[in-house]
């Protein structure tokens, strides 16, 4: 797994949200959360969610606010400490469970969750298919995740990133889903301008660029070179 040691450094965990989701990075945070909420739809009470690579608990807290019965799993003890603090501040300390563990060997029975969410996860995988199979195994219905795209501007700098970054083509994602026993229900592509661009800008300056980016993304060329994809997959019916 790429960058595992990097994510587990104390200083990375403590500064993760401030460095990535403040200023122009707030636009990234807002879009990612909107993608997750749109995919899961109205969450019924008791809807069981596993969030793999929950990190600092951005999505964990949001989904708990929506009424999900959620478990957050991450390999980094330092990230989980940040997540517990965030969830406690939101008043969900007694209703959200966190586990430190390996996503290739999830400690849950088959079909244990209604939905599995894995944001900012698959770009770290050297061999993603076994992980996709494991996420599918514990999900009764839905697996939602994102990837960074091999046809985007991210190809120009991804090798510089300390945590590494695997890029995917649509064909590779389709093959991974097929091998895992998942079918694609919906997909969205966004951010012609890569994440790193927005993080370097103050919010007021980033917003006009984001508006232009969204307009470009509505075109066929803009959609094609988008740097991020959101994939809503469903457990394939067994014949």
């Amino acid at each position: 797994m790429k960058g595992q040691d990097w994510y587990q450094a104390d200083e990375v965990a403590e500064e993760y949200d401030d460095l990535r989701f403040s200023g122009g990075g707030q636009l990234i945070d807002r879009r990612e959360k909107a993608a997750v909420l749109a995919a899961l739809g109205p969450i019924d009470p008791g809807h069981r969610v596993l969030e793999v690579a929950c990190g600092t608990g951005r999505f964990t807290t949001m989904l708990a606010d929506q009424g999900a019965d959620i478990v957050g799993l991450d390999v980094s003890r330092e990230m989980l400490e940040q997540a517990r603090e965030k969830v406690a501040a939101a008043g969900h300390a007694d209703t959200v469970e966190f586990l430190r563990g390996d996503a290739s060997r999830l400690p849950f029975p088959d079909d244990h969750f209604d939905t599995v969410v894995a944001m900012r996860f698959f770009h770290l995988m050297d061999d993603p298919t076994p992980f996709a199979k494991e996420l599918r195994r514990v999900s009764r219905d839905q697996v939602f995740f994102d990837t960074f795209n091999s046809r985007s501007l991210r190809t120009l700098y991804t090798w510089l990133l300390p945590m590494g970054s695997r890029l995917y083509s649509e064909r590779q994602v389709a093959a991974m889903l097929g091998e895992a026993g998942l079918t694609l229900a919906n997909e969205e592509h966004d951010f012609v301008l890569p994440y790193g661009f927005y993080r370097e800008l103050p919010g007021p300056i980033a917003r006009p660029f984001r508006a232009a980016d969204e307009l470009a993304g509505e075109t066929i060329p803009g959609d094609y070179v988008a740097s991020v994809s959101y994939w809503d997959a469903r457990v394939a019916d067994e014949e």
Side-chain angles (χ1 to χ4, degrees):
M1 185 181 296
K2 299 176 184 290
Q4 183 169 316
D5 292 339
W6 185 84
Y7 276 107
Q8 295 188 75
D10 286 335
E11 62 274 14
V12 170
E14 291 170 1
E15 299 176 358
Y16 188 81
D17 285 358
D18 287 340
L19 291 177
R20 284 159 181 75
F21 307 116
S22 60
Q26 292 178 353
L27 300 173
I28 302 168
D29 181 61
R30 189 178 306 157
R31 178 64 178 96
E32 290 182 333
K33 288 177 176 176
V36 172
L37 288 177
L40 272 63
I43 296 175
D44 297 326
H47 188 91
R48 305 185 76 175
V49 178
L50 170 65
E51 185 188 355
V52 170
C54 66
T56 61
R58 290 188 300 129
F59 303 108
T60 323
T61 305
M62 177 189 72
L63 292 172
D65 285 339
Q66 298 294 314
D69 181 2
I70 186 165
V71 176
L73 180 138
D74 203 283
V75 72
S76 169
R77 180 181 290 107
E78 292 74 16
M79 288 286 189
L80 288 173
E81 289 177 1
Q82 299 297 315
R84 289 189 179 95
E85 291 179 7
K86 189 173 296 180
V87 162
H92 300 301
D94 296 331
T95 59
V96 175
E97 182 181 0
F98 287 107
L99 294 175
R100 184 170 184 248
D102 182 352
S104 68
R105 295 184 296 273
L106 295 171
F108 307 105
D110 295 357
D111 305 328
H112 188 67
F113 296 94
D114 299 298
T115 297
V116 175
V117 174
M119 295 290 288
R120 302 293 186 98
F121 174 69
F122 278 102
H123 72 289
L124 299 173
M125 300 298 106
D126 293 315
D127 182 9
T129 299
F131 291 90
K133 289 180 177 179
E134 185 68 352
L135 303 192
R136 179 260 173 268
R137 181 186 68 79
V138 301
S139 176
R140 183 184 63 82
D141 179 48
Q142 181 182 32
V143 176
F144 182 78
F145 62 98
D146 64 341
T147 59
F148 296 130
N149 298 330
S150 59
R151 61 179 181 245
S152 69
L153 291 174
R154 194 177 176 93
T155 59
L156 300 177
Y157 69 91
T158 189
W159 60 276
L160 291 171
L161 300 176
M163 79 296 292
S165 187
R166 181 187 176 98
L167 306 182
Y168 293 79
S169 67
E170 289 193 50
R171 181 177 297 179
Q172 288 173 317
V173 172
M176 180 179 72
L177 292 177
E179 291 184 54
L182 293 164
T183 59
L184 187 61
N186 190 43
E187 62 184 277
E188 294 184 353
H189 312 282
D190 206 341
F191 289 98
V192 176
L193 296 171
Y195 284 168
F197 174 82
Y198 288 100
R199 293 189 186 119
E200 298 301 318
L201 299 177
I205 295 176
R207 282 192 287 272
F209 284 101
R210 178 60 179 148
D213 194 331
E214 289 177 319
L215 289 174
E218 294 175 359
T219 68
I220 293 175
D223 189 69
Y224 183 79
V225 299
S227 61
V228 183
S229 292
Y230 306 106
W231 309 96
D232 184 5
R234 304 305 167 99
V235 174
D237 293 331
E238 296 183 0
E239 296 182 358

